[in-house]
Structures are given as structure tokens and as C-alpha cells.
Amino acid sequence: MESKTKHFRKRDAILECICSTNEHPSADWVYEHVKEIVPDISLATVYRNLSLFKEQGKIISLGTVKGVERFDGNTDPHVHFICTGCGAVVDLPEISVPEELNSAVAQSSGGRVDNCQLAFTGICGECRKLN
């Protein structure tokens, strides 16, 4: 019974870590932060649970940013800006995903849109200052 409790304690800590940040973390970032709370956690456990949470729809993957998969605990439709210079991922809550976009995609594909995550890529203001 104790191993099940530890298992859920680790799983809960991983999900809480992702859902309590706006950092759009990588698995390594999650591991480093959760390790402070659960010292006996392994990176493999983090990866397994991230995969499970994606399948369950509890988190989303933003894909790879500068070669590293990044995650978001906010699964509501929203817009991201991803800097191709420094790898920053920023939520843009002031920009909403247009409902007509979902309708157009559904009509064009003949399917049903369940969720939409819109991401723009470019160079952030800080990187632009450096160039």
C-alpha cells in the first residue's frame, strides 16, 4: 500500500508543478523542481507521467522548442508566442482563439474540433534588442 501512496504522491507533485507555473516547462525543469519536494523521484518517472497526463488531456505539449519538448498545464484554448531566439514561451491571454477559426477547421476537415492551441513563432523583444 505504501508504494501506491508514494506513486500517487509523485504523480500529484508532477501535475501540481506543471499546473502551478506559467513557465511552460520541460521535463528536466519539472524534474528539478519536483525533486526538491520528492527527493526520490526519477527523471523516468517524470517522463512517464508527462506522457500519461498528455494522454488524459490534463496537460498539453507545445512541441519542441530549441530541441526540448515543452508542456503547459493550461489546457483551455489560448495563444502562445514562442521565441526562436531564446526559446521563451509566453501566453498571450489578451488574444483569443477566434471561434470562426474552429468552425472553419471543422467544416474544412469534415471533423470536430475539440481544442485549439495557437502558437506564433518569431523573435521576442529581448532578442530583438540583442540583434
Side-chain angles (χ1 to χ4, degrees):
M1 182 71 152
E2 187 173 329
S3 65
K4 283 188 180 182
T5 303
K6 284 184 182 181
H7 180 68
F8 289 121
R9 181 175 58 101
K10 292 175 184 178
R11 183 174 291 168
D12 292 344
I14 293 166
L15 186 59
E16 174 63 25
C17 180
I18 295 170
C19 292
S20 66
T21 185
N22 292 323
E23 293 293 319
H24 304 91
S26 66
D28 288 335
W29 188 97
V30 172
Y31 170 70
E32 290 301 324
H33 284 78
V34 173
K35 188 169 68 167
E36 295 173 7
I37 301 162
V38 186
D40 63 332
I41 197 161
S42 71
L43 185 56
T45 297
V46 171
Y47 274 107
R48 267 193 313 277
N49 281 285
L50 291 175
S51 179
L52 175 68
F53 296 147
K54 285 191 308 184
E55 287 176 22
Q56 293 174 337
K58 292 180 179 179
I59 66 171
I60 59 169
S61 171
L62 299 173
T64 57
V65 177
K66 296 190 85 61
V68 178
E69 186 175 16
R70 303 280 290 275
F71 302 94
D72 194 344
N74 179 0
T75 59
D76 293 330
H78 63 288
V79 178
H80 293 100
F81 178 82
I82 302 170
C83 180
T84 56
C86 66
V89 179
V90 181
D91 286 327
L92 301 175
E94 64 278 5
I95 301 173
S96 61
V97 177
E99 181 56 42
E100 56 273 8
L101 182 60
N102 289 338
S103 298
V105 170
Q107 184 177 7
S108 179
S109 68
R112 179 187 78 212
V113 174
D114 292 326
N115 197 348
C116 175
Q117 301 298 327
L118 191 55
F120 293 88
T121 58
I123 300 295
C124 70
E126 292 300 313
C127 288
R128 283 185 65 202
K129 289 178 191 174
L130 298 174
N131 290 330

